[in-house]
């Protein structure tokens, strides 16, 4: 290839040199096909695969390495990378309740200042010196936690087409999580923390549907696939 490049520099208009150079590039370039595979047993919409596979081959291509996300006629692929989903699971809709006590010391009026002997202290004018009086107040926080999760797991399988041999299997797992808290407060609100007061202002909300949470998890697989392709580029550059 270097020899042909030098010939093209010397004879830039020679069509035969250009054809030989293109042939050398084609023969030396590793062709990689990236496919989605659902082995979870769960039926998913087309948008699920699109969320995982949505990336530009042009942003992944590099010298001597070419990616396709759809099989093209007439291309002999050296490798196939399967984005293989093995399991899809959605947790039950869980509601957990808890009760905590929050305490705070607040000023509650004033009281006469006393010395070590318990005697009331007067100022220079003979008036009683007043100091703040404190007491402890309590708030009882009743919290409700709504929780639901969707988990996707699988592997990115790198397969050499010659011999149909799996060279690498890179496991992945990700999830989307829904968590929402709301609650009530009994007792003295002055003892409640700012976080508890904000929670008190919230109410219950509907749980998200399974399909939405599965799609959110699928979107997180996308950068994992992109990173795996980049990480394994040295392996994919090897052409028999």
């Amino acid at each position: 290839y270097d020899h042909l490049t030098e010939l093209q520099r010397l004879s830039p208009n020679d069509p035969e040199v250009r054809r030989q150079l293109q042939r050398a590039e084609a023969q030396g370039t590793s062709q990689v096909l990236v496919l989605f595979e659902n082995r979870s047993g769960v039926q998913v919409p087309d948008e699920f695969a699109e969320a995982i596979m949505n990336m530009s081959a042009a942003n992944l291509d590099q010298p001597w390495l070419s990616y396709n996300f759809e099989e093209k006629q007439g291309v002999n692929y050296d490798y196939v990378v399967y984005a293989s989903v093995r399991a899809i699971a959605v947790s039950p809709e869980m509601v957990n309740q808890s009760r905590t006590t929050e305490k705070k010391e607040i000023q509650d009026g004033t009281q006469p200042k006393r010395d070590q002997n318990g005697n009331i202290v007067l100022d220079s004018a003979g008036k009683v010196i007043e100091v703040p009086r404190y007491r402890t107040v309590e708030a009882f926080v009743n919290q409700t936690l709504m929780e639901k999760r969707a988990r996707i797991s699988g592997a990115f399988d790198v397969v050499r087409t010659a011999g149909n041999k799996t060279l690498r299997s890179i496991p992945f797992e990700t999830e989307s999580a829904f968590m929402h808290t709301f609650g009530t407060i009994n007792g003295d609100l002055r003892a409640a923390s700012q976080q508890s007061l904000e929670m008190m202002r919230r109410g219950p909300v509907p749980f998200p549907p399974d399909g939405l949470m599965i799609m959110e998890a699928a979107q997180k697989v996308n950068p994992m696939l992109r990173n795996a392709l980049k990480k394994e580029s040295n392996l994919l550059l090897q052409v028999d």
Side-chain angles (χ1 to χ4, degrees):
Y1 179 81
D2 292 340
H3 179 64
L4 288 170
T5 302
E6 179 63 17
L7 285 177
Q8 186 183 46
R9 188 184 69 82
L10 297 173
S11 304
N13 298 320
D14 189 324
E16 182 60 25
V17 173
R18 188 180 303 111
R19 280 195 297 270
Q20 292 297 328
L21 188 61
Q22 291 172 347
R23 181 183 177 188
E25 288 176 347
Q27 290 179 340
T29 297
S30 182
Q31 299 290 340
V32 181
L33 177 62
V34 186
L35 296 176
F36 169 75
E37 182 181 55
N38 182 13
R39 294 169 55 185
S40 69
V42 178
Q43 189 172 6
V44 295
D46 293 341
E47 291 80 9
F48 180 88
E50 292 170 3
I52 293 176
M53 305 291 286
N54 183 27
M55 63 188 74
S56 171
N59 292 333
L60 293 168
D61 288 349
Q62 60 186 68
W64 308 110
L65 186 57
S66 177
Y67 292 93
N68 288 144
F69 288 85
E70 292 182 2
E71 189 169 4
K72 293 184 178 180
Q73 295 293 328
V75 178
N76 294 320
Y77 291 100
D78 301 288
Y79 299 94
V80 179
V81 178
Y82 294 97
S84 179
V85 174
R86 310 283 172 80
I88 300 173
V90 180
S91 74
E93 297 176 351
M94 295 176 287
V95 178
N96 296 307
Q97 295 180 324
S98 62
R99 181 181 174 93
T100 58
T101 301
E102 296 181 353
K103 299 181 179 181
K104 188 176 182 180
E105 195 174 66
I106 64 169
Q107 183 176 345
D108 183 29
T110 61
Q111 61 186 2
K113 183 178 181 180
R114 296 180 181 272
D115 61 20
Q116 294 180 346
N117 297 319
N119 300 314
I120 294 177
V121 178
L122 305 178
D123 62 15
S124 58
K127 295 179 60 177
V128 176
I129 298 176
E130 296 286 336
V131 294
R133 179 176 61 220
Y134 294 94
R135 68 183 179 95
T136 300
V137 294
E138 296 182 335
F140 306 100
V141 181
N142 307 293
Q143 176 179 287
T144 300
L145 170 63
M146 303 172 62
E147 187 173 6
K148 183 178 178 180
R149 298 177 184 273
R151 181 175 289 108
I152 296 174
S153 61
F156 304 126
D157 296 322
V158 181
V159 178
R160 187 194 297 273
T161 55
N164 194 32
K165 181 180 180 181
T166 300
L167 303 181
R168 198 93 82 224
S169 186
I170 307 157
F172 69 82
E173 182 174 297
T174 187
E175 70 173 15
S176 62
F178 166 81
M179 297 180 69
H180 177 74
T181 57
F182 66 96
T184 58
I185 300 176
N186 302 116
D188 197 319
L189 291 179
R190 292 174 295 179
S193 66
Q194 186 63 35
Q195 182 179 356
S196 295
L197 292 172
E198 291 175 358
M199 181 193 66
M200 183 185 67
R201 299 185 187 103
R202 296 193 295 265
V205 297
F207 280 100
D210 292 0
L212 177 61
M213 297 198 67
I214 290 172
M215 286 299 297
E216 289 178 349
Q219 291 169 358
K220 295 180 180 181
V221 179
N222 179 276
M224 294 179 177
L225 173 59
R226 183 184 297 108
N227 291 337
L229 293 173
K230 291 180 178 179
K231 184 177 180 180
E232 300 302 327
S233 61
N234 288 336
L235 173 64
L236 297 171
L237 278 168
Q238 299 175 21
V239 181
D240 291 337

